[in-house]
Amino acid sequence: MRRALLFGVALLAPALPAEARVTAAPGARVFRLDGNGVTYALGVDDKGYLRPIHWGGPLADGDPLVPPIVIEPSSFDPQPTVTAQEFPGQGEGLVTEPGVKVAFADGNRDLVLKYRSHRVDGETLTVELADIARPLFVTLRYTMDPYTGVLARSATIRNGGKRPVRVDQLAAAVFTLPSGDDYRLSYLTGRHAAEWTLKEVSVTPALTAIESRRGLTGHGNNPWFAIGRAGRTAEESGPVWFGAFAWSGSFRISVAQDVVGRVRVAAGYNPYDFAWALKPGETLDTPVVYAGYSDHGMGGASRSFHAFQLTHILPDHARGRLRPVLYNSWEATAFDVTEAGQMALADKAAAIGAERFVVDDGWFGARDSDRAGLGDWTVNPRKFPHGLKPLIDKVKALGMDFGLWVEPESVNPDSDLYRQHPDWVIAFPGRPRTEARNQLVLNLARADVRTHVLGWLDRLVSENDIAFLKWDVNRRWTEPGWAGKSPGDQQRLYVDYVRNLYAVLDELRRRHPALEIEGCAGGGGRVDLGMMARVDQVWTSDNTDPSDRLAIQDGFTHAYAPAVMMAWVTDSPNWANTRVTSLDYRFLSAMQGGLGIGANLLKWQAEDVVTARKWVAAYKTIRSTIQRGQLYRLVSPDASASTSATMYVAPDQRQAVLFQMLHSSMWRDNPGAILPLGLAAERRYSVRMLGGGALPAGVPAVASGAWWMTQGLRSPLKGDFVGAAFVFEATP
Ligand code: GLA
């Protein structure tokens, strides 16, 4: 990981003398973190409470940094309930969301946290809080990335007493924004095959909870938020506060206005069904919430966050290596996987330029449908009589690397694994259990299950020349019981499961440093920064319709980098909605992320192969710009019923690609020019059509960045479901 530079984090105390900026009462302590035009400041007031001071654009040196004045509107809203705390304990009449809520063994549930100490280690500020009377401690950590201004925050609670304490709620961070009635919250929601729908609601005193209660991140709500201001925030302008919780289990991000109109955001473990028995001397850590600020609208926010993810979140490979063009056989064969069939597909995939060949579900156990076999991770001898080696050898001889689908966390009741270990599943003993897709969830929180899962994965990768795993999970939790666990520790499941998932992924990667992994959960059901730190790419959605995908991809990129967003070209009509589209359109949609092909190549005509080969080759000339560049959502598919446009600009601004996609046109339409963004104004750029072909009439072959960005490009498109991509190259 690239280390943040020391000068990027200006901590008032003690990196600079605290007095230099403190304008509060003598003895007050104020902390300030600065990075890339973002300032975050907090301080201790004269009563010892830790108060938020500022989060937003940069403050000037010497600006007064004082914890906000206490106001008491009425006897119904006493001081602690109206003055924002940086991380409030549930006590003293607090009525906003707490950072932490506990129950002591004697039944006392009053927790009042005050400043105890702080430390600065390199770029990290640590502040310790303690209850006013009992030995319960909360440690808050803050690290700001100097290049993007993204702040990493997390918390740890420690029981310093002699009796257990039950933790009922624990956030990684609580944020406070200034008062205002014009805040708008954007979040991402959806369902299977319809993920990544961007919604926007007003922030009001009615609490909005973006959450998962499902045990995994889920398709429903993604752990990401962005808050702008009505009338001021647009795609490329205005303030945006944003963040994402790096956790792959149940989570909650709550947003509400408090009684004096300030916006409070709390992100952490979901308090729904949460309880953690914190024994004497024990600690409980939260995952990290990453939060940023931009003055350049939703586009500026996502570009800043993408850059941060590329630099700090993605594992080494994904940082160092562009995503190979992959072929995956799922939509072509479903469970009907055979050595001969896969070999035939591999020949075709190599011929169009694929670099990775992935065998999906169906290669193992008695897996002829979704009713059996999950859990039995041995190669099916009927389908692969000689094991996987002949196929892998062939794939490698064709110049591709080899990948395999796995679903390590699930089991079909009709499997040898389940017959041997019926107690390994998540369920309440003696109660009915829900099956979904005929499967149950293995209790990965158990040490024996973790050891088993790591063991077979390690053997599979060690014994076969496997470069890539698609790691899937195809159901959420129901009946979240942990057989054999004491009643007080049952709900540790929510935390221990995800920790063990991470431990297995981390250890597998450690043992196989060249292995790449794709995160998948019935499409995009488990995409979050916790997974993204452990996988090289994610499967965005099972919906592969190229037009639906434009909206899905638009939503996805509000939170996460196109560098990890996989998109396949599949057959037409599409399985999801029976829509018929041209192969050109399908490629132009899919190449706006990591390109894959999932069609049944054995049914393609010769001209399809020629078309596909052309687009795969064209993609390779721009993929570095797509995967490493800055993304501008010029016209969102949701903003216009007909045209959408996205633009990717290479970090050095030498190449840029502008995609225009037309959903449908009417004769009366008179589309305006689309204005590129992000080019270097003074540089001269030539322009060409990706994939060849003549430029539309009236488009000059060369002009300055300023010219392109003011004159724009009029869409050459006519018809339904058509697209085009313009490639800008800086002239020497
Ligand atoms: C999930 C995935 C698909 C495919 C199937 C296989 O639905 O999202 O891409 O791998 O499982 O069963």
Side-chain angles (χ1 to χ4, degrees), residues 287-337:
V288 176
V289 58
Y290 295 94
Y293 172 81
S294 171
D295 257 335
H296 300 285
M298 297 293 276
S302 58
R303 284 189 291 279
S304 159
F305 215 19
H306 296 167
F308 179 79
Q309 291 162 16
L310 257 57
T311 316
H312 290 296
I313 301 292
L314 289 177
D316 287 344
H317 299 148
R319 261 198 287 274
R321 205 174 157 211
L322 296 172
R323 300 293 86 227
V325 175
L326 68 73
Y327 177 80
N328 178 300
S329 60
W330 172 245
E331 286 200 25
T333 64
F335 298 97
D336 191 13
V337 173

Side-chain angles (χ1 to χ4, degrees), residues 69-83:
I69 301 160
V70 173
I71 28 172
E72 187 158 316
S74 84
S75 60
F76 286 92
D77 293 304
Q79 177 269 327
T81 69
V82 293
T83 301

Side-chain angles (χ1 to χ4, degrees), residues 235-236 296-307 310 550 552-563 565 591-593 624-636 645-651 655-659 676-678:
E235 178 63 19
E236 292 298 336
H296 300 285
M298 297 293 276
S302 58
R303 284 189 291 279
S304 159
F305 215 19
H306 296 167
L310 257 57
L550 295 178
I552 286 173
Q553 292 170 185
D554 182 79
F556 182 99
T557 63
H558 277 79
Y560 303 114
M565 180 179 75
M591 67 170 69
Q592 299 186 39
S624 154
T625 298
I626 303 286
Q627 297 183 19
R628 292 291 177 272
Q630 301 254 295
L631 170 68
Y632 294 85
R633 291 178 294 263
L634 302 178
V635 186
S636 273
T646 47
M647 179 147 180
Y648 300 75
V649 182
Q655 188 188 63
V657 191
L658 192 165
F659 291 89
L677 286 172

Side-chain angles (χ1 to χ4, degrees), residues 170-316:
L170 183 61
V174 179
F175 299 96
T176 306
L177 275 52
S179 303
D181 285 328
D182 58 350
Y183 284 102
R184 303 278 295 168
L185 167 69
S186 296
Y187 63 98
L188 290 161
T189 183
R191 58 178 196 277
H192 174 244
E195 307 88 331
W196 310 110
T197 303
L198 189 68
K199 297 263 191 207
E200 198 186 287
V201 292
S202 290
V203 178
T204 70
L207 184 123
T208 303
I210 304 167
E211 65 171 356
S212 164
R213 300 179 172 197
R214 298 164 184 246
L216 83 173
T217 321
H219 302 82
N221 293 310
N222 193 266
W224 169 87
F225 69 92
I227 298 174
R229 305 197 78 153
R232 286 171 56 194
T233 302
E235 178 63 19
E236 292 298 336
S237 60
V240 177
W241 294 260
F242 61 92
F245 188 43
W247 185 242
S248 310
S250 293
F251 70 89
R252 190 168 81 161
I253 300 172
S254 68
V255 183
Q257 253 183 335
D258 67 14
V259 70
V260 293
R262 276 176 306 231
V263 175
R264 308 279 188 97
V265 181
Y269 294 127
N270 196 334
Y272 168 81
D273 201 31
F274 188 85
W276 184 283
L278 198 63
K279 309 200 171 66
E282 271 188 359
T283 57
L284 174 61
D285 295 329
T286 72
V288 176
V289 58
Y290 295 94
Y293 172 81
S294 171
D295 257 335
H296 300 285
M298 297 293 276
S302 58
R303 284 189 291 279
S304 159
F305 215 19
H306 296 167
F308 179 79
Q309 291 162 16
L310 257 57
T311 316
H312 290 296
I313 301 292
L314 289 177
D316 287 344

Side-chain angles (χ1 to χ4, degrees), residues 420-579:
Q420 279 160 23
H421 299 286
D423 54 332
W424 275 11
V425 299
I426 293 178
F428 289 113
R431 305 278 305 171
R433 326 159 294 212
T434 305
E435 286 181 19
R437 211 190 189 206
N438 308 301
Q439 62 195 62
L440 300 166
V441 182
L442 286 174
N443 184 352
L444 196 56
R446 292 173 58 123
D448 49 5
V449 174
R450 183 187 65 193
T451 304
H452 169 78
V453 168
L454 177 63
W456 72 256
L457 280 164
D458 184 30
R459 276 194 302 282
L460 181 70
V461 178
S462 303
E463 289 167 7
N464 299 282
D465 195 351
I466 291 172
F468 173 83
L469 290 177
K470 174 177 172 182
W471 183 304
D472 203 350
V473 58
N474 274 302
R475 58 159 295 175
R476 66 177 182 89
W477 300 2
T478 51
E479 301 98 14
W482 183 337
K485 199 73 172 171
S486 69
D489 283 338
Q490 282 274 321
Q491 284 132 299
R492 289 178 68 113
L493 185 67
Y494 289 102
V495 176
D496 285 351
Y497 182 103
V498 181
R499 285 182 175 171
N500 279 354
L501 169 68
Y502 291 167
V504 171
L505 282 160
D506 291 344
E507 180 58 18
L508 191 65
R509 295 193 77 112
R510 196 190 64 74
R511 293 187 195 173
H512 303 280
L515 180 71
E516 293 197 352
I517 302 175
E518 176 174 88
C520 175
R526 192 164 62 189
V527 180
D528 55 74
L529 295 183
M531 276 314 267
M532 206 185 277
R534 295 170 172 90
V535 301
D536 300 87
Q537 60 192 52
V538 298
W539 182 222
T540 314
S541 176
D542 276 351
N543 185 338
T544 52
D545 173 75
S547 180
D548 279 15
R549 261 306 176 106
L550 295 178
I552 286 173
Q553 292 170 185
D554 182 79
F556 182 99
T557 63
H558 277 79
Y560 303 114
V564 301
M565 180 179 75
M566 294 306 292
W568 300 348
V569 171
T570 56
D571 284 318
S572 177
N574 189 272
W575 76 267
N577 54 18
T578 70
R579 182 180 281 134

Side-chain angles (χ1 to χ4, degrees), residues 28 45-46 113 202 210 212 329 369 402 430 601 608 647 672 677 711:
D45 73 7
D46 54 0
L113 296 171
S202 290
I210 304 167
S212 164
S329 60
S369 72
F402 181 78
L601 303 180
D608 297 330
M647 179 147 180
L677 286 172
Q711 301 302 310

